[in-house]
């Protein structure tokens, strides 16, 4: 699949992503930070990703100035919800609220925050991995690579994560 044209487009996309790509790499790396901090950074990436997708006309223009929760939802809807099918088929609003709340809890440090509406450490790892899968599919779409080329592996990886999560 890698061609000279695709490589050049990747370089241009990296320039466009700028700090977004660096934060993604930092969030998914073994960086020594607690996983809830890494998840908060990954969740925060939904807004700039939506901005890029709107600019590239992959999402409607009215998606640009939405809340973080709405940006997350737009990404899940646009990218076929293969990765988060289990979570969104049961309680989409509750799941998206927990993702948002986890980010708010980390980025707006306050005394006596309610932890019950956030994820524990193991679930932070799970959803960090799942967001990573989602964010990996976005450049493939931007490069006009058919979802048929990778959707099977995406489902397989999501299923493996779901199987691991059943033991939490």
């Amino acid at each position: 699949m890698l061609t000279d044209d695709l490589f050049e487009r990747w370089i241009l996309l990296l320039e466009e992503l700028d700090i977004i790509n660096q934060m993604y790499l930092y969030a998914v790396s073994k960086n020594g930070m607690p996983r809830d901090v890494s998840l908060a950074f990954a969740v925060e990436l939904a807004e700039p990703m939506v901005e890029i997708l709107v600019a590239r006309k992959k999402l409607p223009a009215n998606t640009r100035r939405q809340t973080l929760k709405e940006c997350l939802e737009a990404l899940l809807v646009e990218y076929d919800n293969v990765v988060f099918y289990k979570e969104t088929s049961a309680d989409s609003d509750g799941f998206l609220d927990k993702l948002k709340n986890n980010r708010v809890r980390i980025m707006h440090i306050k005394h006596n925050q309610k932890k019950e509406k956030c994820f524990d450490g193991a679930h932070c790892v799970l959803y960090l991995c799942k967001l990573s899968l989602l964010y990996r599919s976005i450049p493939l779409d931007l490069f006009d690579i058919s979802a048929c080329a990778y959707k099977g592996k995406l489902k397989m990886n999501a299923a493996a994560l779901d199987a691991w999560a059943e033991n939490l």
Side-chain angles (χ1 to χ4, degrees):
M1 285 186 122
L2 188 58
T3 63
D4 289 342
D5 176 58
L6 188 58
F7 184 71
E8 286 177 31
R9 290 168 64 193
W10 173 244
I11 297 299
L12 292 173
L13 181 59
L14 278 178
E15 288 175 16
E16 183 179 357
L17 289 170
D18 187 39
I19 192 73
I20 300 165
N21 186 59
Q22 297 303 315
M23 288 309 301
Y24 165 78
L25 293 174
Y26 182 73
V28 298
S29 70
K30 186 174 181 181
N31 56 33
M33 297 292 286
R35 292 291 92 186
D36 52 350
V37 174
S38 293
L39 179 61
F41 281 124
V43 167
E44 184 71 18
L45 294 175
E47 289 175 327
M49 291 304 288
V50 164
E51 288 176 11
I52 288 174
L53 291 167
V54 167
R56 296 273 191 113
K57 302 196 183 338
K58 295 286 186 173
L59 286 175
N62 65 348
T63 313
R64 183 180 302 266
R65 290 287 171 213
Q66 294 185 344
T67 66
L68 176 61
K69 180 180 172 182
E70 291 167 334
C71 287
L72 287 163
E73 184 175 31
L75 291 176
L76 296 183
V77 168
E78 180 65 24
Y79 291 94
D80 199 23
N81 198 15
V82 173
V83 176
F84 292 99
Y85 177 77
K86 196 171 187 178
E87 292 82 2
T88 57
S89 62
D91 180 17
S92 156
D93 274 343
F95 170 70
L96 292 171
D97 281 335
K98 277 190 168 184
L99 278 178
K100 177 194 60 113
N101 290 343
N102 186 82
R103 179 237 170 239
V104 167
R105 181 172 177 258
I106 297 302
M107 301 298 189
H108 301 282
I109 302 167
K110 294 189 177 9
H111 182 66
N112 289 330
Q113 289 182 341
K114 296 177 182 170
K115 295 180 191 174
E116 68 273 2
K117 294 184 180 180
C118 296
F119 294 115
D120 61 21
H123 284 92
C124 286
V125 171
L126 170 67
Y127 295 120
L128 180 60
C129 291
K130 285 191 164 200
L131 279 172
S132 177
L133 291 175
L134 174 71
Y135 291 149
R136 289 179 192 191
S137 63
I138 293 171
L140 297 174
D141 178 47
L142 292 174
F143 297 144
D144 297 320
I145 296 172
S146 170
C148 296
Y150 59 87
K151 196 171 187 177
K153 290 195 185 245
L154 201 58
K155 279 184 181 181
M156 183 180 69
N157 285 321
L161 288 169
D162 287 336
W164 173 76
E166 288 176 10
N167 297 320
L168 295 178

